[in-house]
């Protein structure tokens, strides 16, 4: 069987491969994006940024748009509920180096939904279409839409939303193959995903529960042109390379505990260099459960780690570990 891994054309942009890093709030910042590109990701997607906050020049939101050449190709994800600020945010993302601008219409977080953004946009496809059109008109880079198969299980909306996005000029759609009410729980609905793939001519990129070559193949079998890996990449940023090897009929390179700790320490060091020690160490603790796992005494090590405040103390802790 021929491997489905290949370059992927999104509008005028061509990604080197079709296994991408999904956007994750609090996770897919610059240092992690650069790490995943080294691990074989074709495109890395940034944390979603509020269009409303960018409109008011919120310093933190503006910093989230920062990107350097080590983090490219990159898709910048924005969220919002009105055309003017979405257009402004799209232009800001392009100006700071985005290769792709992505609009979030799938986030189930209540705070986002109360602002009229995220998955609630699926309730009004016409309004959502206007947001897509506004972004498309505002920038010269491709615009994509990330959404879900529906709001509730068994009620498919993804195909309609994908057609609206296509009609308004989106270059691709990213579909999380779970309903919004299920968040990240349960098996992805690949039949519903296949309906979306059959509904449009633009590329469909599948997302949700992909963790290895076997699960990735199911998404390609459903008709996806590409896939996005999310939480499975945290703790193993080389999963993109591993999935590509598996899909080519080869064995993935094992991730040893020692190697995982080495990579995690390098990531923490990158965070400290970028954000300063206090913020860099603090951000690193958010994902400790993904990195410090699957070895004897892991829970104790995590407990000690989250109490540390300096890079020197973290280095000393990691150097004391033996596997």
């Amino acid at each position: 069987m021929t491997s489905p891994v290949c370059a992927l054309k999104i509008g005028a942009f061509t990604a080197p491969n079709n296994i991408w890093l999904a956007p994750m709030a609090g996770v897919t910042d610059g240092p992690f994006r650069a790490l995943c590109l080294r691990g074989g990701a074709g495109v890395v997607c940034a944390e979603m940024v509020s269009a409303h906050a960018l409109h008011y020049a919120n310093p933190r939101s503006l910093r989230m748009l920062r990107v350097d050449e080590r983090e490219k190709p990159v898709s910048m994800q924005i969220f919002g509920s009105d055309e003017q600020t979405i257009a402004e945010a799209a232009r800001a993302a392009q100006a700071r180096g985005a290769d792709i601008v992505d609009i979030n219409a799938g986030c189930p977080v209540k705070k986002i939904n109360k602002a009229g953004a995220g998955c609630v946009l699926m309730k009004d496809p016409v309004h959502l279409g206007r947001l897509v059109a506004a972004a498309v008109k505002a920038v010269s880079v491709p615009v994509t839409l990330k959404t879900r198969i529906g709001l509730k299980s068994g009620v498919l909306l993804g195909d309609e939303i994908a057609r609206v996005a296509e009609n308004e000029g989106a270059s691709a759609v990213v579909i999380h193959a779970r309903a919004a009410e299920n968040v990240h729980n349960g098996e992805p609905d690949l039949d519903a995903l296949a309906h979306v793939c059959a509904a449009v001519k633009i590329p469909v990129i599948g997302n949700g529960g992909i963790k290895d070559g076997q699960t990735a193949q199911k998404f390609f079998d459903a008709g996806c042109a590409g896939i996005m890996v999310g939480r499975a990449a945290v703790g193993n940023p080389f999963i993109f390379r591993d999935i590509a090897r598996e899909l080519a009929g080869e064995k993935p390179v094992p991730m040893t505990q020692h190697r995982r700790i080495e990579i995690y320490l390098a990531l923490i060091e990158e965070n400290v260099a970028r954000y300063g020690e206090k913020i860099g160490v603090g951000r690193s603790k958010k994902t400790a459960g993904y990195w410090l796992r699957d070895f004897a005494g892991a829970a104790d090590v995590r407990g000690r780690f989250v109490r540390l405040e300096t890079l020197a103390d973290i280095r000393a802790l990691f150097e004391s570990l033996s596997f």
Side-chain angles (χ1 to χ4, degrees), residues 136-179:
V136 170
K137 292 175 184 176
V139 297
S140 58
V141 297
V143 173
T144 61
L145 178 73
K146 190 173 191 297
T147 188
R148 288 181 176 250
I149 55 170
L151 291 165
K152 295 183 178 296
S153 297
V155 183
L156 178 62
L157 293 173
D159 52 351
E160 178 184 3
I161 298 298
R163 283 193 293 266
V164 168
E166 181 178 46
N167 291 339
E168 297 298 344
S171 296
V173 290
V174 183
I175 303 293
H176 188 132
R178 298 186 182 98

Side-chain angles (χ1 to χ4, degrees), residues 18-215:
N18 54 353
I19 306 177
W20 295 10
L21 172 68
M24 292 177 281
V27 178
T28 55
D29 59 4
F32 189 68
R33 295 195 297 266
L35 182 55
C36 288
L37 284 170
R38 295 202 300 271
V43 169
V44 289
C45 299
E47 306 171 78
M48 64 179 182
V49 183
S50 166
H52 182 77
L54 291 174
H55 175 72
Y56 287 101
N58 177 271
R60 179 177 179 274
S61 297
L62 288 170
R63 285 195 298 270
M64 290 173 70
L65 291 183
R66 173 185 167 186
V67 61
D68 64 41
E69 289 302 313
R70 296 180 308 151
E71 303 159 28
K72 292 170 67 68
V74 62
S75 171
M76 288 287 186
Q77 188 180 72
I78 57 178
F79 71 93
S81 59
D82 72 270
E83 297 162 55
Q84 179 184 343
T85 57
I86 281 289
E88 290 175 0
R91 284 192 290 268
Q94 176 178 280
R96 286 161 176 78
D99 298 288
I100 296 169
V101 173
D102 182 67
I103 299 173
N104 182 297
C107 179
V109 174
K110 291 181 179 179
K111 180 180 178 180
I112 304 297
N113 296 166
K114 285 182 179 180
C119 70
V120 297
L121 290 169
M122 299 180 73
K123 296 179 180 180
D124 189 348
V126 174
H127 175 56
L128 178 54
R130 288 198 293 265
L131 297 181
V132 173
V136 170
K137 292 175 184 176
V139 297
S140 58
V141 297
V143 173
T144 61
L145 178 73
K146 190 173 191 297
T147 188
R148 288 181 176 250
I149 55 170
L151 291 165
K152 295 183 178 296
S153 297
V155 183
L156 178 62
L157 293 173
D159 52 351
E160 178 184 3
I161 298 298
R163 283 193 293 266
V164 168
E166 181 178 46
N167 291 339
E168 297 298 344
S171 296
V173 290
V174 183
I175 303 293
H176 188 132
R178 298 186 182 98
E181 69 174 0
N182 295 326
V183 192
H184 298 291
N185 301 316
E187 291 297 315
D189 187 340
L190 297 176
D191 289 335
L193 179 62
H195 278 287
V196 179
C197 293
V200 293
K201 295 180 181 179
I202 57 175
V204 175
I205 301 168
N207 171 232
I210 299 171
K211 58 184 179 181
D212 52 27
Q214 183 178 7
T215 51

